[in-house]
Amino acid sequence: MTSEDRGAGAAGVDVFDPNLYARGVPHDAYRRLRDEDPVHWQEEYEVGGWPAGPGFWAVTRHADVVRVLRGPDEYSSWIGATQIRDPDPADLPFIRRMMLNLDPPEHGRLRRIAAKVFTPRRVERFAADVERHARLLVDGIAERGECDLPADVTDEYPIQNLADLLGIPEQDRGRILGWTNRVIGYQDPDHGGDVPRGPDGAPVNPRSPAMLADMFEYAHTLAAARRRDPADDLMTALATAEVDGRRLTDPELSMFFFLLVIAGNDTVRSGLPGGVMALLDHPDQHRRLLDHPELLDSAIDEMLRWHPPVLSFRRTAARDTVLAGRPIATGDKVVVFHASANRDERRFPDPERFDIARRPNDHVAFGDGPHVCLGAHFARLQLRIFYREFLWRLPDLEPAGPPARLVSNFIAGIKHLPVRYTPVPRSDVR
């Protein structure tokens, strides 16, 4: 397909550069694309030491995003996986073992295993531990009168919860943050550092099997230990689960562990400070929530609409198709922008109004279709428990400085969020 075939579209609009997102989600650019060019050809140029790619279709309207996410026959997760940047062809067969990167019917087998072990009942059994973690972390900053919310509290919170759920021993829990920063934050100089390069000088993708060998080795060591000595945790369930008489293969177990540790951690890690930031930016809604705690669940949905942890996901066209009047060729990359869909005027009345009582609220923060987030229930549980502990104990919370955002066109990460509040005593309950 030539540039003429793709059309001029909204000239000059860029939603690719990860550095843009460090300055704030480009909602003005999204709005222009939704209005003028809802399926927009986006060049994929060299940035941050990473080479240029072939470009992709940026999908920005809610209805089109949902169509792509619900249509694996047309828009495949398997062909090129689900990240904007193309994986090394040598890595692709391994990466395709992850449930996130499979299409039906193969996706269904892993999803059935996941549904069997990652049940709401199992998650709810950990609620008391989640409450304890939230209370102790807030205790750690309650008497100070100020803190950096991500660095002091919310980076640690989902790690502790995931480690309990998976059965990762206390002494190993620090690894989760290192793995997540390496994979999610590779575009950010604070997390990724220098771009790793192979013997030929080419950059090495931090999601490649070679770069994840330490994580996979740990996963198999833990799984073997759980088979010998079962416990009431998710890793035991994964290591022993069967569907249709088959257990997870070693590569499937590796990628399942990757998905839980990375996606399960960073969704909450990004969502929590993003939700607090939304309340601080809308003090009337903050006060409304404090006065009406029964609105917490709808407030969490509005926080997720306003600040979805995942900005975008990629698919690949499995055949020639047409989306919003644009011809899409077989093999083209198609990237859906959750953060744009959640502000689409065609779906949400007055979408630039932050309203904690918004109903209905059909946001796509957890995706849609066959790949809708498996851990959404656990994520909501963590969000609900943390906000209940944090917001009402520190009711006069206010910003103490500007936020620092992650350099990423994938995750809406908040690296720093300084806040101040009236100091309060630590809780008496441990």
Side-chain angles (χ1 to χ4, degrees):
M1 183 179 294
T2 67
S3 58
E4 289 77 13
D5 294 326
R6 295 182 182 118
V13 176
D14 182 8
V15 292
F16 168 67
D17 186 354
N19 294 290
L20 289 172
Y21 295 84
R23 299 191 289 272
V25 178
H27 287 295
D28 289 344
Y30 288 159
R31 187 181 304 109
R32 184 178 170 197
L33 292 185
R34 289 194 302 269
D35 289 344
E36 301 178 19
D37 194 13
V39 179
H40 166 76
W41 184 255
Q42 171 67 60
E43 298 295 336
E44 192 181 349
Y45 44 83
E46 185 278 333
V47 60
W50 295 92
F56 58 87
W57 295 104
V59 182
T60 50
R61 287 183 183 172
H62 186 281
D64 299 326
V65 166
V66 169
R67 176 183 162 183
V68 170
L69 293 177
R70 291 182 181 178
D73 291 344
E74 290 182 309
Y75 303 103
S76 168
S77 300
W78 182 83
I79 292 174
T82 48
Q83 298 299 302
I84 291 178
R85 190 172 302 283
D86 289 328
D88 188 312
D91 293 338
L92 189 54
F94 190 90
I95 292 170
R96 284 170 169 166
R97 308 291 184 92
M98 191 196 301
M99 185 172 66
L100 194 67
N101 299 327
L102 287 172
D103 296 330
E106 292 81 4
H107 170 262
R109 174 180 165 264
L110 288 190
R111 188 82 184 192
R112 289 196 299 276
I113 291 178
K116 183 178 178 181
V117 302
F118 201 52
T119 62
R121 181 176 296 179
R122 174 173 274 118
V123 165
E124 289 290 347
R125 289 208 303 268
F126 288 87
D129 291 329
V130 174
E131 290 173 358
R132 179 172 54 85
H133 293 318
R135 183 176 60 252
L136 293 177
L137 284 166
V138 175
D139 272 350
I141 54 92
E143 296 177 323
R144 288 166 39 179
E146 61 181 9
C147 73
D148 181 349
L149 185 60
D152 294 337
V153 185
T154 55
D155 280 0
E156 181 67 18
Y157 175 65
I159 289 174
Q160 293 181 1
N161 297 330
L162 265 174
D164 281 350
L165 188 68
L166 283 163
I168 295 176
E170 188 80 33
Q171 66 271 17
D172 295 338
R173 296 182 175 193
R175 299 187 185 199
I176 297 176
L177 183 61
W179 289 329
T180 305
N181 285 344
R182 186 197 313 170
V183 172
I184 297 297
Y186 77 96
Q187 296 171 313
D188 190 295
D190 290 340
H191 293 322
D194 294 333
V195 176
R197 295 188 178 274
D200 60 355
V204 179
N205 193 318
R207 297 180 176 90
S208 69
M211 295 294 289
L212 296 170
D214 58 333
M215 181 194 295
F216 296 155
E217 181 181 1
Y218 182 86
H220 288 286
T221 299
L222 183 60
R226 289 296 180 267
R227 292 187 188 109
R228 293 190 305 269
D229 185 16
D232 183 20
D233 57 46
L234 193 58
M235 200 62 190
T236 298
L238 284 173
T240 58
E242 292 185 2
V243 169
D244 302 329
R246 290 176 55 198
R247 287 186 176 181
L248 291 172
T249 66
D250 284 350
E252 286 169 347
L253 180 64
S254 295
M255 297 308 275
F256 227 122
F257 187 80
F258 171 93
L259 182 61
L260 289 168
V261 167
I262 303 301
N265 172 30
D266 225 61
T267 300
V268 176
R269 180 188 179 191
S270 303
L272 275 175
V276 171
M277 191 166 63
L279 290 175
L280 296 180
D281 287 342
H282 301 86
D284 61 323
Q285 295 297 300
H286 185 193
R287 174 48 55 190
R288 184 184 184 192
L289 179 58
L290 294 176
D291 291 342
H292 297 280
E294 71 276 8
L295 292 175
L296 180 57
D297 283 344
S298 63
I300 287 172
D301 272 319
E302 183 69 342
M303 294 178 204
L304 289 167
R305 183 188 75 87
W306 196 260
H307 183 96
V310 177
L311 295 162
S312 64
F313 257 120
R314 175 253 184 102
R315 298 290 189 265
T316 305
R319 59 174 182 257
D320 290 352
T321 184
V322 176
L323 185 63
R326 285 285 193 195
I328 310 293
T330 303
D332 280 358
K333 288 196 279 191
V334 178
V335 177
V336 296
F337 283 83
H338 303 250
S340 176
N342 282 356
R343 304 280 184 105
D344 188 355
E345 302 82 354
R346 296 151 195 82
R347 186 64 180 179
F348 300 96
D350 196 7
E352 296 303 322
R353 176 172 55 88
F354 181 75
D355 177 7
I356 64 168
R358 183 183 292 273
R359 282 289 184 263
N361 195 339
D362 298 323
H363 64 76
V364 290
F366 290 127
D368 205 317
H371 286 287
V372 68
C373 178
L374 182 69
H377 182 79
F378 190 43
R380 289 182 186 279
L381 175 74
Q382 293 178 80
L383 293 170
R384 185 167 57 250
I385 287 173
F386 181 83
Y387 289 136
R388 202 163 55 209
E389 180 71 28
F390 181 71
L391 294 174
W392 280 271
R393 281 185 67 186
L394 307 175
D396 61 350
L397 192 73
E398 63 180 18
R405 302 169 187 264
L406 188 70
V407 178
S408 174
N409 53 20
F410 175 48
I411 291 290
I414 307 294
K415 297 187 294 184
H416 301 286
L417 181 61
V419 294
R420 67 171 67 94
Y421 42 88
T422 300
V424 298
R426 295 167 64 91
S427 66
D428 294 330
V429 182
R430 286 291 176 268

